[in-house]
Amino acid sequence: MLTLPRQLSEALRLTPAQFAELCAANPEAVLELAADGRLIEMTPAGGETGRRNNQLAVQLGLWARTHPGWCVFDSSTGFLLPDGSVLSPDASAVRLERWQALSSEARQGFPPLCPDLVVELASPSDRLPDLRRKMATYQANGARLGWLLLPESRGVEVWHGSGEPQRLEGLAVLDGEPELPGLRLDLAELWDG
């Protein structure tokens, strides 16, 4: 059985299967896997980020209940992307038919697909260049829409399926059209809650 090394070595490389075994053996660890097999250490969320993350999950969940055909996932869900990385967006949504096309076994592990919607919520411990690389990875692996939420500046970077991200500031509501019809994220509630 694999165990988490005391100090993660830059030379250490894991396959997605080895990564899954490592995570099973170390459920307290917060990790992701880069496409090249490197481990990416994550830090647990602080209180304000956790509150915002919960608010985000509630809003996406309510949207999915009123717009059948979607599955919403929280920040603890790792997805095995086509490039071999295993990433956990802060929130995500997958079309129901894509989810149902997976075997029961695939659903139990890291689902082998890129979510249609990925949302990353920046926290004080995050580095913006790292979050942007992560968003670019989602985009390159097939995400239809990505939102990088930046609470400190009350800004959002919108990452469509291709092209450069669009920076928006001063919005009270973020609209998912045309990729996710009917999705509206109340940013004022996230920022101020």
Side-chain angles (χ1 to χ4, degrees):
M1 176 180 289
L2 289 175
T3 58
L4 185 63
R6 289 188 186 270
Q7 296 227 342
L8 299 176
S9 166
E10 245 329 282
L12 179 65
R13 296 293 185 268
L14 300 176
T15 66
Q18 290 169 325
F19 178 70
E21 188 177 334
L22 177 72
C23 290
N26 298 276
E28 73 288 348
V30 184
L31 301 167
E32 292 180 318
L33 183 69
D36 65 2
R38 279 181 308 107
L39 288 176
I40 303 167
E41 273 189 291
M42 310 293 287
T43 58
E48 190 61 33
T49 300
R51 182 198 64 75
R52 287 181 174 133
N53 231 353
N54 183 62
Q55 185 56 239
L56 175 61
V58 166
Q59 288 190 44
L60 287 177
L62 290 172
W63 165 76
R65 287 186 81 182
T66 59
H67 293 79
W70 291 94
C71 294
V72 173
F73 299 88
D74 71 4
S75 61
S76 62
T77 307
F79 292 92
L80 174 57
L81 303 183
D83 70 0
S85 60
V86 178
L87 299 180
S88 302
D90 288 324
S92 57
V94 174
R95 284 195 164 284
L96 183 60
E97 65 264 13
R98 293 182 67 217
W99 176 249
Q100 290 175 337
L102 297 176
S103 69
S104 177
E105 182 181 340
R107 290 185 207 177
Q108 293 299 317
F110 300 125
L113 55 75
C114 185
D116 296 286
L117 169 70
V118 293
V119 184
E120 290 291 348
L121 176 62
S123 67
S125 64
D126 288 325
R127 292 176 7 103
L128 194 53
D130 294 339
L131 289 174
R132 287 183 173 135
R133 273 192 294 279
K134 195 172 177 182
M135 295 302 290
T137 298
Y138 294 132
Q139 184 184 52
N141 279 274
R144 293 175 50 200
L145 180 62
W147 289 337
L148 175 54
L149 306 178
L150 307 164
E152 293 299 315
S153 64
R154 293 183 176 230
V156 177
E157 289 184 9
V158 178
W159 294 68
H160 293 281
S162 62
E164 293 296 312
Q166 177 185 13
R167 173 80 182 229
L168 305 172
E169 294 190 18
L171 295 177
V173 175
L174 184 59
D175 192 325
E177 302 283 346
E179 292 92 345
L180 284 88
L183 177 56
R184 294 171 52 84
L185 190 63
D186 184 340
L187 292 174
E189 199 171 281
L190 278 179
W191 303 154
D192 300 327

